[in-house]
């Protein structure tokens, strides 16, 4: 009975622990203050390289859409065929925006499990899109790793990402990004970048909310891009402090 009480207590605590500043503030609130530092995700400090394949911009409005089978399984379970149809309907809705193309962008490609393989999942979505829409949809299949995907995201007008690090990759290039959230970490990252959760949409609400949010973001994308670049400069300016902290640990 005692161990059950402990498990229930720990479960309750863990539901309150989030990401980024929320975790930091939660720990401080609970008097965990010594040896506690707030640092940005290491993905913010990954530099691009000139050896990476160069992708071209499109004459159309290019929307990158990243979806994660793992996030969908976590939200719905493995029997999620009905949600696949919602995704296809959402893509069709997005394509009613004038002069638009959608690129399905995998970010995690796991050889060990299809449940954690964006490419396999997005390929199935792509192959299920009706023929009268498919000419405006493509699948990014041959990007080699994190940096090459990042290089492609730079050519997009906006990015819609279920994988948090896909979103981080995009904002590092100044690309306006909508975070599709299935846990608190996506909300936390949206708050970390934008200062609020306006550009975070629960994954389950995409059919209801995604088109209107996309239109709103497209109408202000230059302003949003400028805000993101300013925020990224602030984050990058903290790099030397983080390096010094790591030196103290070694």
């Amino acid at each position: 009975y005692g161990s059950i009480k402990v498990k229930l207590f720990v479960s309750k605590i863990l539901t309150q622990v989030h990401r980024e500043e929320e975790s930091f503030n939660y720990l401080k609130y609970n008097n965990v203050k010594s040896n506690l530092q707030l640092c940005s995700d290491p993905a913010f400090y990954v530099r691009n390289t000139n050896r990476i394949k160069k992708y071209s911009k499109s004459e159309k409005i290019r929307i990158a859409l990243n979806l994660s089978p793992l996030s969908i399984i976590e939200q719905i379970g493995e029997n999620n065929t009905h949600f696949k149809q919602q995704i296809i309907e959402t893509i069709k809705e997005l394509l009613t925006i004038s002069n638009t193309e959608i690129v399905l962008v995998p970010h995690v490609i796991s050889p060990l499990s299809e449940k954690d393989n964006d490419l396999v999942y997005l390929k199935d979505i792509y192959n299920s899109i009706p023929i009268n829409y498919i000419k405006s949809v493509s699948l990014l299949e041959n990007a080699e790793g994190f940096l090459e995907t990042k290089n492609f995201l730079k050519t997009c007008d906006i990015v819609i990402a279920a994988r948090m690090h896909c979103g981080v990759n995009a904002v590092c290039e100044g690309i306006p990004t909508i975070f599709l959230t299935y846990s608190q970490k996506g909300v936390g990252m949206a708050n970390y970048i934008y200062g609020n959760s306006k550009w975070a949409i629960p994954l389950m609400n995409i059919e209801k909310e995604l088109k209107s949010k996309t239109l709103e973001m497209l109408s202000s994308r230059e302003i949003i891009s400028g805000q993101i670049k300013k925020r990224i400069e602030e984050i990058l300016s903290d790099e030397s402090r983080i390096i010094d902290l790591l030196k103290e640990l070694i």
Side-chain angles (χ1 to χ4, degrees):
Y1 177 72
S3 63
I4 293 173
K5 285 183 72 176
V6 169
K7 287 179 182 177
L8 290 172
F9 174 76
V10 171
S11 296
K12 183 179 178 181
I13 292 298
L14 290 176
T15 61
Q16 299 174 58
V17 178
H18 307 317
R19 292 289 287 256
E20 308 296 348
E21 288 178 284
E22 292 181 65
S23 300
F24 182 74
N25 292 333
Y26 174 82
L27 291 168
K28 282 177 63 179
Y29 178 78
N30 286 277
N31 294 315
V32 181
K33 297 178 181 178
S34 62
N35 298 322
L36 182 65
Q37 296 285 343
L38 178 63
C39 299
S40 300
D41 192 298
F44 285 106
Y45 303 102
V46 176
R47 298 291 192 265
N48 237 327
T49 170
N50 294 329
R51 292 176 297 175
I52 298 298
K53 183 192 297 182
K54 297 294 182 184
Y55 292 97
S56 301
K57 279 192 169 286
S58 172
E59 293 181 0
K60 293 186 174 183
I61 296 168
R62 177 177 285 168
I63 299 172
L65 176 61
N66 162 256
L67 293 167
S68 151
L70 198 64
S71 65
I72 293 164
I73 290 169
E74 186 162 317
Q75 287 280 290
I76 304 174
E78 294 191 32
N79 184 16
N80 51 56
T81 307
H82 63 290
F83 188 69
K84 172 184 167 182
Q85 193 55 44
Q86 285 187 41
I87 292 168
I88 292 168
E89 292 303 315
T90 301
I91 290 170
K92 288 162 63 177
E93 275 291 297
L94 290 174
L95 288 173
T96 63
I97 300 171
S98 179
N99 195 37
T100 297
E101 68 175 17
I102 293 175
V103 183
L104 304 176
V105 177
H107 202 260
V108 173
I109 302 174
S110 170
L112 303 176
S113 172
E114 287 192 5
K115 295 176 184 178
D116 200 23
N117 190 320
D118 298 358
L119 180 58
V120 170
Y121 187 77
L122 288 172
K123 191 174 287 188
D124 180 52
I125 295 290
Y126 177 79
N127 290 334
S128 303
I129 292 170
I131 193 167
N132 50 325
Y133 289 92
I134 199 67
K135 68 181 188 304
S136 299
V137 183
S138 57
L139 175 66
L140 184 69
E141 291 193 70
N142 300 313
E144 295 180 4
F146 183 90
L147 285 176
E148 201 165 288
T149 302
K150 180 179 181 133
N151 196 270
F152 174 78
L153 294 174
K154 192 175 182 177
T155 71
C156 299
D157 292 280
I158 71 169
V159 171
I160 302 164
R163 294 277 188 185
M164 188 191 71
H165 283 105
C166 182
V168 171
N169 236 357
V171 296
C172 283
E173 298 299 327
I175 307 301
T177 299
I178 295 172
F179 291 86
L180 298 180
T181 62
Y182 63 97
S183 70
Q184 193 62 33
K185 68 179 182 178
V187 178
M189 186 55 73
N191 276 303
Y192 192 63
I193 297 299
Y194 296 112
N196 56 61
S197 58
K198 177 179 180 178
W199 301 115
I201 298 175
L203 183 62
M204 296 297 99
N205 291 358
I206 59 169
E207 199 170 9
K208 295 178 183 177
E209 297 184 38
L210 190 53
K211 182 183 176 182
S212 61
K213 284 286 186 183
T214 299
L215 283 167
E216 187 179 357
M217 180 169 269
L218 284 170
S219 69
S220 305
R221 65 183 183 272
E222 297 298 330
I223 294 170
I224 296 168
S225 179
Q227 292 169 342
I228 290 171
K229 288 174 181 176
K230 184 178 179 181
R231 178 65 179 129
I232 295 301
E233 283 180 11
E234 293 171 353
I235 292 169
L236 293 179
S237 70
D238 197 38
E239 185 175 20
S240 59
R241 179 185 69 89
I242 294 170
I243 291 171
D244 289 340
L245 287 171
L246 289 172
K247 285 179 182 176
E248 291 177 15
L249 295 175
I250 296 173

